[in-house]
Amino acid sequence: MEVAQRYWMIELLAFWEGQINTTPLIKSFGLSRQSVSALFKQYQEATGNDFVYDAKRKAYPIDDHFKPHYIDQTVDEYFDWLNYGKIPTFSNTATQSTQHRIEALARFVSPQVMRPLLKAVKDKTAVDCEYLSVSSSDPQGRLLYPHSFVKTAGRWHVRAYCDMRKHYLDFVLSRFQHVDYDGKASEHTEQQDTLWNTQVTLILAPDSRLTDKQKHVLENDYGMTDGQLNITTRAALVKYTLDDLQIKTKMLEANPQAQQLVCVNYTDIKQWLYD
């Protein structure tokens, strides 16, 4: 692993978790504790970011002056490493790519919001927060018990039990105004979230108004079997899945070529939709 990659991981953990200790780095780098301590010093000299060991927390917390040099500061970058072990390469040689991707606009997610949420998900505890919903002009205080993060339509949500609403809801990360770690042990965990644990199958097919040739093109595009495509998702994510696939359920597009796909088992899945 390159030195830049090691510096990147130090920054990634420090930035999103608010602190860092040697244990995850020892496991990731395959180095001794002494070697990781030396790496910390090298990183500090290279970047000017100082770490002061906190014996009570058994970690090196960061302060407001911490300035990242290697990470891109998106929450996707953190989750890509956490879930898939994805580590970027730092090459000085420019290469001409034959691949071009149009990326969705990034939604800003504050590390001050993420740090207590990440800790609460890990510890199965509560957070005290202020959240600005689209239906309210002012932030509302809530006690939440978060259990999972979900990305859809280019933005991240946290799935949590809301003590104010008394059921599980999805909260857009960029709409949190303030989050504090509460530490209260949760009685409302992932296991009690019925919609999260209910598996639902969406049956998709080409719009019936298309010609047979047009239907065949779509069947080939999506690798359909017998003219249909089955997608299994969680009941809590049915609406998100259909939205991401641009499949309308309330009304059909006037032009079937614009609609393209329809959900043929709407009656079965409509209970999982919301307005």
PDB file of all heavy atoms in Angstrom, residues 135-155:
ATOM      1  N   SER A 135     -42.053  19.723   5.112  1.00  0.00           N
ATOM      2  CA  SER A 135     -43.379  20.156   5.553  1.00  0.00           C
ATOM      3  C   SER A 135     -43.324  21.186   6.675  1.00  0.00           C
ATOM      4  O   SER A 135     -44.358  21.677   7.123  1.00  0.00           O
ATOM      5  CB  SER A 135     -44.203  18.948   6.013  1.00  0.00           C
ATOM      6  OG  SER A 135     -43.569  18.299   7.099  1.00  0.00           O
ATOM      7  N   SER A 136     -42.134  21.504   7.147  1.00  0.00           N
ATOM      8  CA  SER A 136     -41.997  22.449   8.256  1.00  0.00           C
ATOM      9  C   SER A 136     -41.006  23.547   7.898  1.00  0.00           C
ATOM     10  O   SER A 136     -39.987  23.303   7.252  1.00  0.00           O
ATOM     11  CB  SER A 136     -41.524  21.707   9.515  1.00  0.00           C
ATOM     12  OG  SER A 136     -41.279  22.606  10.563  1.00  0.00           O
ATOM     13  N   SER A 137     -41.322  24.769   8.334  1.00  0.00           N
ATOM     14  CA  SER A 137     -40.427  25.900   8.045  1.00  0.00           C
ATOM     15  C   SER A 137     -39.330  26.039   9.093  1.00  0.00           C
ATOM     16  O   SER A 137     -38.353  26.751   8.879  1.00  0.00           O
ATOM     17  CB  SER A 137     -41.240  27.197   7.975  1.00  0.00           C
ATOM     18  OG  SER A 137     -41.941  27.412   9.192  1.00  0.00           O
ATOM     19  N   ASP A 138     -39.496  25.362  10.226  1.00  0.00           N
ATOM     20  CA  ASP A 138     -38.510  25.428  11.302  1.00  0.00           C
ATOM     21  C   ASP A 138     -38.053  24.021  11.685  1.00  0.00           C
ATOM     22  O   ASP A 138     -38.839  23.071  11.633  1.00  0.00           O
ATOM     23  CB  ASP A 138     -39.108  26.112  12.537  1.00  0.00           C
ATOM     24  CG  ASP A 138     -39.495  27.559  12.275  1.00  0.00           C
ATOM     25  OD1 ASP A 138     -38.643  28.304  11.737  1.00  0.00           O
ATOM     26  OD2 ASP A 138     -40.647  27.926  12.582  1.00  0.00           O
ATOM     27  N   PRO A 139     -36.797  23.882  12.100  1.00  0.00           N
ATOM     28  CA  PRO A 139     -36.309  22.561  12.532  1.00  0.00           C
ATOM     29  C   PRO A 139     -37.085  22.072  13.754  1.00  0.00           C
ATOM     30  O   PRO A 139     -37.478  22.866  14.614  1.00  0.00           O
ATOM     31  CB  PRO A 139     -34.835  22.821  12.879  1.00  0.00           C
ATOM     32  CG  PRO A 139     -34.488  24.103  12.202  1.00  0.00           C
ATOM     33  CD  PRO A 139     -35.738  24.905  12.157  1.00  0.00           C
ATOM     34  N   GLN A 140     -37.317  20.780  13.808  1.00  0.00           N
ATOM     35  CA  GLN A 140     -37.995  20.172  14.943  1.00  0.00           C
ATOM     36  C   GLN A 140     -37.037  19.282  15.707  1.00  0.00           C
ATOM     37  O   GLN A 140     -36.250  18.544  15.114  1.00  0.00           O
ATOM     38  CB  GLN A 140     -39.196  19.337  14.472  1.00  0.00           C
ATOM     39  CG  GLN A 140     -40.359  20.145  13.930  1.00  0.00           C
ATOM     40  CD  GLN A 140     -41.511  19.247  13.541  1.00  0.00           C
ATOM     41  OE1 GLN A 140     -41.340  18.239  12.861  1.00  0.00           O
ATOM     42  NE2 GLN A 140     -42.714  19.599  13.975  1.00  0.00           N
ATOM     43  N   GLY A 141     -37.107  19.352  17.034  1.00  0.00           N
ATOM     44  CA  GLY A 141     -36.289  18.477  17.850  1.00  0.00           C
ATOM     45  C   GLY A 141     -36.880  17.081  17.897  1.00  0.00           C
ATOM     46  O   GLY A 141     -38.103  16.923  18.030  1.00  0.00           O
ATOM     47  N   ARG A 142     -36.035  16.078  17.757  1.00  0.00           N
ATOM     48  CA  ARG A 142     -36.493  14.683  17.769  1.00  0.00           C
ATOM     49  C   ARG A 142     -35.456  13.816  18.475  1.00  0.00           C
ATOM     50  O   ARG A 142     -34.265  14.097  18.423  1.00  0.00           O
ATOM     51  CB  ARG A 142     -36.671  14.134  16.349  1.00  0.00           C
ATOM     52  CG  ARG A 142     -37.649  14.883  15.465  1.00  0.00           C
ATOM     53  CD  ARG A 142     -37.539  14.399  14.035  1.00  0.00           C
ATOM     54  NE  ARG A 142     -38.341  15.186  13.112  1.00  0.00           N
ATOM     55  CZ  ARG A 142     -39.466  14.762  12.550  1.00  0.00           C
ATOM     56  NH1 ARG A 142     -39.912  13.544  12.837  1.00  0.00           N
ATOM     57  NH2 ARG A 142     -40.137  15.517  11.710  1.00  0.00           N
ATOM     58  N   LEU A 143     -35.945  12.747  19.079  1.00  0.00           N
ATOM     59  CA  LEU A 143     -35.077  11.697  19.575  1.00  0.00           C
ATOM     60  C   LEU A 143     -35.203  10.532  18.609  1.00  0.00           C
ATOM     61  O   LEU A 143     -36.300  10.006  18.398  1.00  0.00           O
ATOM     62  CB  LEU A 143     -35.476  11.267  20.985  1.00  0.00           C
ATOM     63  CG  LEU A 143     -34.519  10.280  21.672  1.00  0.00           C
ATOM     64  CD1 LEU A 143     -33.203  10.974  22.022  1.00  0.00           C
ATOM     65  CD2 LEU A 143     -35.157   9.698  22.936  1.00  0.00           C
ATOM     66  N   LEU A 144     -34.087  10.153  17.970  1.00  0.00           N
ATOM     67  CA  LEU A 144     -34.105   9.097  16.964  1.00  0.00           C
ATOM     68  C   LEU A 144     -33.248   7.916  17.398  1.00  0.00           C
ATOM     69  O   LEU A 144     -32.239   8.093  18.084  1.00  0.00           O
ATOM     70  CB  LEU A 144     -33.562   9.625  15.630  1.00  0.00           C
ATOM     71  CG  LEU A 144     -34.257  10.820  14.982  1.00  0.00           C
ATOM     72  CD1 LEU A 144     -33.583  11.146  13.648  1.00  0.00           C
ATOM     73  CD2 LEU A 144     -35.739  10.549  14.776  1.00  0.00           C
ATOM     74  N   TYR A 145     -33.658   6.724  16.942  1.00  0.00           N
ATOM     75  CA  TYR A 145     -32.876   5.505  17.149  1.00  0.00           C
ATOM     76  C   TYR A 145     -32.511   4.964  15.759  1.00  0.00           C
ATOM     77  O   TYR A 145     -33.263   4.205  15.161  1.00  0.00           O
ATOM     78  CB  TYR A 145     -33.691   4.468  17.926  1.00  0.00           C
ATOM     79  CG  TYR A 145     -34.057   4.909  19.324  1.00  0.00           C
ATOM     80  CD1 TYR A 145     -35.256   5.574  19.565  1.00  0.00           C
ATOM     81  CD2 TYR A 145     -33.207   4.664  20.396  1.00  0.00           C
ATOM     82  CE1 TYR A 145     -35.599   5.983  20.852  1.00  0.00           C
ATOM     83  CE2 TYR A 145     -33.542   5.063  21.685  1.00  0.00           C
ATOM     84  CZ  TYR A 145     -34.737   5.726  21.904  1.00  0.00           C
ATOM     85  OH  TYR A 145     -35.080   6.128  23.173  1.00  0.00           O
ATOM     86  N   PRO A 146     -31.374   5.373  15.200  1.00  0.00           N
ATOM     87  CA  PRO A 146     -31.018   4.991  13.829  1.00  0.00           C
ATOM     88  C   PRO A 146     -30.471   3.569  13.745  1.00  0.00           C
ATOM     89  O   PRO A 146     -29.825   3.090  14.683  1.00  0.00           O
ATOM     90  CB  PRO A 146     -29.939   6.007  13.457  1.00  0.00           C
ATOM     91  CG  PRO A 146     -29.280   6.331  14.761  1.00  0.00           C
ATOM     92  CD  PRO A 146     -30.362   6.262  15.808  1.00  0.00           C
ATOM     93  N   HIS A 147     -30.739   2.892  12.617  1.00  0.00           N
ATOM     94  CA  HIS A 147     -30.171   1.538  12.465  1.00  0.00           C
ATOM     95  C   HIS A 147     -29.513   1.283  11.110  1.00  0.00           C
ATOM     96  O   HIS A 147     -28.688   0.383  10.992  1.00  0.00           O
ATOM     97  CB  HIS A 147     -31.222   0.464  12.765  1.00  0.00           C
ATOM     98  CG  HIS A 147     -32.342   0.340  11.768  1.00  0.00           C
ATOM     99  ND1 HIS A 147     -32.178  -0.152  10.484  1.00  0.00           N
ATOM    100  CD2 HIS A 147     -33.666   0.596  11.889  1.00  0.00           C
ATOM    101  CE1 HIS A 147     -33.323  -0.184   9.858  1.00  0.00           C
ATOM    102  NE2 HIS A 147     -34.257   0.274  10.683  1.00  0.00           N
ATOM    103  N   SER A 148     -29.833   2.062  10.064  1.00  0.00           N
ATOM    104  CA  SER A 148     -29.245   1.785   8.746  1.00  0.00           C
ATOM    105  C   SER A 148     -29.189   3.057   7.917  1.00  0.00           C
ATOM    106  O   SER A 148     -30.002   3.971   8.103  1.00  0.00           O
ATOM    107  CB  SER A 148     -30.071   0.732   7.987  1.00  0.00           C
ATOM    108  OG  SER A 148     -30.116  -0.485   8.683  1.00  0.00           O
ATOM    109  N   PHE A 149     -28.217   3.076   6.981  1.00  0.00           N
ATOM    110  CA  PHE A 149     -28.106   4.165   6.020  1.00  0.00           C
ATOM    111  C   PHE A 149     -28.525   3.660   4.643  1.00  0.00           C
ATOM    112  O   PHE A 149     -28.219   2.528   4.273  1.00  0.00           O
ATOM    113  CB  PHE A 149     -26.671   4.696   5.974  1.00  0.00           C
ATOM    114  CG  PHE A 149     -26.217   5.332   7.262  1.00  0.00           C
ATOM    115  CD1 PHE A 149     -25.501   4.601   8.199  1.00  0.00           C
ATOM    116  CD2 PHE A 149     -26.510   6.662   7.542  1.00  0.00           C
ATOM    117  CE1 PHE A 149     -25.081   5.171   9.397  1.00  0.00           C
ATOM    118  CE2 PHE A 149     -26.090   7.246   8.733  1.00  0.00           C
ATOM    119  CZ  PHE A 149     -25.382   6.498   9.658  1.00  0.00           C
ATOM    120  N   VAL A 150     -29.211   4.513   3.896  1.00  0.00           N
ATOM    121  CA  VAL A 150     -29.719   4.143   2.572  1.00  0.00           C
ATOM    122  C   VAL A 150     -29.404   5.259   1.587  1.00  0.00           C
ATOM    123  O   VAL A 150     -29.627   6.434   1.893  1.00  0.00           O
ATOM    124  CB  VAL A 150     -31.253   3.926   2.605  1.00  0.00           C
ATOM    125  CG1 VAL A 150     -31.772   3.594   1.211  1.00  0.00           C
ATOM    126  CG2 VAL A 150     -31.630   2.823   3.588  1.00  0.00           C
ATOM    127  N   LYS A 151     -28.899   4.881   0.413  1.00  0.00           N
ATOM    128  CA  LYS A 151     -28.696   5.872  -0.639  1.00  0.00           C
ATOM    129  C   LYS A 151     -29.687   5.632  -1.767  1.00  0.00           C
ATOM    130  O   LYS A 151     -29.819   4.520  -2.277  1.00  0.00           O
ATOM    131  CB  LYS A 151     -27.271   5.824  -1.202  1.00  0.00           C
ATOM    132  CG  LYS A 151     -27.009   6.966  -2.200  1.00  0.00           C
ATOM    133  CD  LYS A 151     -25.602   6.956  -2.742  1.00  0.00           C
ATOM    134  CE  LYS A 151     -25.391   8.168  -3.644  1.00  0.00           C
ATOM    135  NZ  LYS A 151     -24.039   8.196  -4.236  1.00  0.00           N
ATOM    136  N   THR A 152     -30.382   6.679  -2.161  1.00  0.00           N
ATOM    137  CA  THR A 152     -31.319   6.599  -3.269  1.00  0.00           C
ATOM    138  C   THR A 152     -31.425   7.959  -3.932  1.00  0.00           C
ATOM    139  O   THR A 152     -31.339   8.996  -3.255  1.00  0.00           O
ATOM    140  CB  THR A 152     -32.708   6.135  -2.796  1.00  0.00           C
ATOM    141  OG1 THR A 152     -33.612   6.115  -3.907  1.00  0.00           O
ATOM    142  CG2 THR A 152     -33.267   7.041  -1.737  1.00  0.00           C
ATOM    143  N   ALA A 153     -31.589   7.941  -5.238  1.00  0.00           N
ATOM    144  CA  ALA A 153     -31.731   9.182  -6.010  1.00  0.00           C
ATOM    145  C   ALA A 153     -30.621  10.179  -5.705  1.00  0.00           C
ATOM    146  O   ALA A 153     -30.831  11.390  -5.651  1.00  0.00           O
ATOM    147  CB  ALA A 153     -33.099   9.813  -5.756  1.00  0.00           C
ATOM    148  N   GLY A 154     -29.416   9.656  -5.488  1.00  0.00           N
ATOM    149  CA  GLY A 154     -28.256  10.516  -5.309  1.00  0.00           C
ATOM    150  C   GLY A 154     -28.118  11.138  -3.929  1.00  0.00           C
ATOM    151  O   GLY A 154     -27.247  11.977  -3.718  1.00  0.00           O
ATOM    152  N   ARG A 155     -28.952  10.734  -2.965  1.00  0.00           N
ATOM    153  CA  ARG A 155     -28.826  11.312  -1.629  1.00  0.00           C
ATOM    154  C   ARG A 155     -28.937  10.208  -0.580  1.00  0.00           C
ATOM    155  O   ARG A 155     -29.565   9.169  -0.795  1.00  0.00           O
ATOM    156  CB  ARG A 155     -29.886  12.383  -1.382  1.00  0.00           C
ATOM    157  CG  ARG A 155     -31.322  11.881  -1.381  1.00  0.00           C
ATOM    158  CD  ARG A 155     -32.281  13.048  -1.233  1.00  0.00           C
ATOM    159  NE  ARG A 155     -33.663  12.585  -1.110  1.00  0.00           N
ATOM    160  CZ  ARG A 155     -34.713  13.390  -0.990  1.00  0.00           C
ATOM    161  NH1 ARG A 155     -34.526  14.706  -0.996  1.00  0.00           N
ATOM    162  NH2 ARG A 155     -35.932  12.909  -0.874  1.00  0.00           N
TER     163      ARG A 155
END
